[in-house]
Amino acid sequence: MVDMRKIRVNASSEYDVLISRGAIDNIGAFAAETGLCGRACVISDSNVAPIYMERVKASLLKEGFSVTEYVFKAGETSKNAQTFIDILNFLAKAHLTRKDTLFALGGGVTGDLTGFCAATYMRGINFVQIPTSLLAAVDSSVGGKTAIDLEYGKNLAGAFYQPRLVVFDPDVLQTLPAEFFADGMAEVIKYAMIRGRGIDELILDNTEKNIEEIISRCIEIKSEIVCEDEFEGGIRRILNFGHTAGHAIEKAAEFTLSHGRCVAIGMYIVTKAWEKRGLCREGTCDILLKMLEKFSLPKSCDFSPTELAEGARADKKAEADAINLVVPLSLGECDVIKVGMNELLDIFTEGME
Ligand code: GLY
């Protein structure tokens, strides 16, 4: 086996994130080393399954797992109550018990959906995250947020439920279309903005060459934050940098603009406004812009500040008349402040002028 990086997540239940080239063919061995055995159900979508399903199943069979698979139609629209129930019924029909394990093979949709099935099937079953997108690797596969979307909004039904193991094979990035890679880079840039750790330099120097180091640093940051505040009562909120405007843009665009692109715009708006107010170190916005431009990520959209402020008001994270907004202080440092809805509109207006 080539080099392997291991990051321990000390949440309420502890687990490792393994990063290793070729790991897709060794999922079974990693799972067995973690103490998992018995039945395995690999859950994936119609884009990812044709590429990796057979390899993952073969590695599980080799380690003595009995294996079933469930493949759903790719796309955010599948992350709904119907798919959730269909999967639970499938698991029940296949006689999976609490000792068995679900394997989420795919991007954020697959991880969130499978995680929520794992959290609820028989009141909790083991699950392993095998992220195949950059976004899922650095963000959604680590930290235990699981969810499905409801008619009224994204991720409205969910649970904090930690996986037993996360395995990321950097080779999967080779089959990831460029637009999805750029989308994941928006979340990577978010880590550079909130905690620094030299991620900006690695990105601007040579992203491709430095990609494993970049991903490791992002996961280390995520792990530290999750360990400190697993249930998002405080510091974990900084992971929402750029997401207040970002989610509002996603909704206004009726989900035709990708999550990463919306977060990119959201990060730019708040950083520009904060620098204009003299509350953020001069030059921070320029560094952000350089990183965004490297991946052709946008910094503006066609919606008005009023439309975005209205959208943010309806967000599940908004309280009665105020919202927690993550603001940058300098590259690698940020704060969470409570702002009223009128103030939020002012901030959006300043950041979009
Ligand atoms: N994706 C943000 C979080 O895990 O808290």
Side-chain angles (χ1 to χ4, degrees):
M1 170 82 51
V2 281
D3 282 356
M4 181 166 80
R5 296 168 191 249
K6 190 191 279 194
I7 299 161
R8 188 82 178 153
V9 183
N10 291 304
S12 50
S13 58
E14 296 184 15
Y15 55 97
D16 287 327
V17 180
L18 308 179
I19 306 169
S20 173
R21 290 196 183 270
I24 280 281
D25 297 309
N26 292 292
I27 299 294
F30 293 137
E33 276 166 31
T34 307
L36 301 169
C37 57
R39 292 197 178 95
C41 178
V42 186
I43 300 178
S44 192
D45 72 25
S46 52
N47 287 341
V48 173
I51 314 176
Y52 298 116
M53 179 63 89
E54 288 312 315
R55 287 169 62 187
V56 170
K57 278 170 61 181
S59 86
L60 289 164
L61 285 166
K62 204 167 123 199
E63 295 298 323
F65 285 89
S66 83
V67 188
T68 52
E69 65 172 72
Y70 189 96
V71 179
F72 63 90
K73 186 170 170 274
E76 181 77 29
T77 50
S78 289
K79 205 175 105 177
N80 60 26
Q82 190 56 56
T83 319
F84 167 68
I85 294 293
D86 289 348
I87 294 174
L88 296 187
N89 278 322
F90 177 86
L91 301 176
K93 199 170 165 198
H95 304 293
L96 264 82
T97 71
R98 242 193 235 162
K99 292 200 178 99
D100 300 323
T101 308
L102 308 187
F103 290 78
L105 173 65
V109 167
T110 303
D112 284 7
L113 175 63
T114 305
F116 192 47
C117 291
T120 49
Y121 182 69
M122 293 195 170
R123 300 196 183 92
I125 179 172
N126 302 313
F127 92 109
V128 172
Q129 291 269 22
I130 313 167
T132 59
S133 72
L134 179 58
L135 197 143
V138 297
D139 190 37
S140 56
S141 66
V142 180
K145 277 191 180 176
T146 73
I148 56 169
D149 302 336
L150 300 183
E151 223 175 282
Y152 293 94
K154 273 185 79 166
N155 297 332
L156 287 185
F160 286 99
Y161 191 72
Q162 302 294 341
R164 290 286 307 272
L165 177 70
V166 181
V167 184
F168 178 61
D169 181 345
D171 284 343
V172 301
L173 297 177
Q174 282 161 19
T175 57
L176 191 67
E179 62 184 291
F180 290 107
F181 183 79
D183 218 41
M185 281 310 297
E187 292 285 351
V188 169
I189 293 168
K190 177 191 82 179
Y191 286 104
M193 293 298 291
I194 62 173
R195 282 280 161 100
R197 309 275 169 91
I199 295 173
D200 59 311
E201 286 161 18
L202 292 174
I203 291 172
L204 295 174
D205 164 44
N206 186 338
T207 309
E208 206 184 325
K209 183 177 116 226
N210 298 325
I211 194 68
E212 276 179 59
E213 185 59 32
I214 291 171
I215 291 169
S216 297
R217 290 190 197 185
C218 292
I219 295 173
E220 273 161 19
I221 295 171
K222 175 105 193 221
S223 164
E224 286 164 20
I225 293 172
V226 167
C227 295
E228 216 180 304
D229 176 25
E230 183 172 348
F231 302 108
E232 206 173 19
I235 190 71
R236 187 165 180 168
R237 291 185 181 132
I238 68 170
L239 293 169
N240 295 323
F241 178 57
H243 285 59
T244 303
H247 281 156
I249 298 166
E250 258 185 297
K251 203 151 50 164
E254 293 176 351
F255 299 97
T256 54
L257 265 177
S258 70
H259 178 72
R261 281 163 179 80
C262 296
V263 169
I265 302 166
M267 290 192 287
Y268 187 79
I269 292 173
V270 71
T271 306
K272 187 173 168 197
W274 233 235
E275 200 170 314
K276 259 189 188 173
R277 290 183 177 194
L279 298 171
C280 168
R281 181 175 295 164
E282 221 183 302
T284 309
C285 212
D286 278 348
I287 301 174
L288 170 62
L289 195 54
K290 260 194 214 151
M291 291 191 278
L292 296 180
E293 280 175 345
K294 184 151 185 182
F295 304 97
S296 306
L297 288 164
K299 63 180 168 64
S300 62
C301 63
D302 293 336
F303 304 105
S304 69
T306 310
E307 283 171 300
L308 299 193
E310 281 305 319
R313 184 199 287 273
D315 194 272
K316 70 178 181 308
K317 292 198 175 76
E319 292 169 15
D321 256 327
I323 194 159
N324 289 307
L325 182 70
V326 189
V327 292
L329 304 178
S330 64
L331 179 77
E333 202 186 349
C334 63
D335 199 3
V336 184
I337 58 165
K338 198 156 270 203
V339 295
M341 289 301 164
N342 291 338
E343 171 70 351
L344 187 68
L345 177 58
D346 290 345
I347 295 167
F348 285 174
T349 305
E350 287 163 46
M352 293 170 80
E353 274 165 358

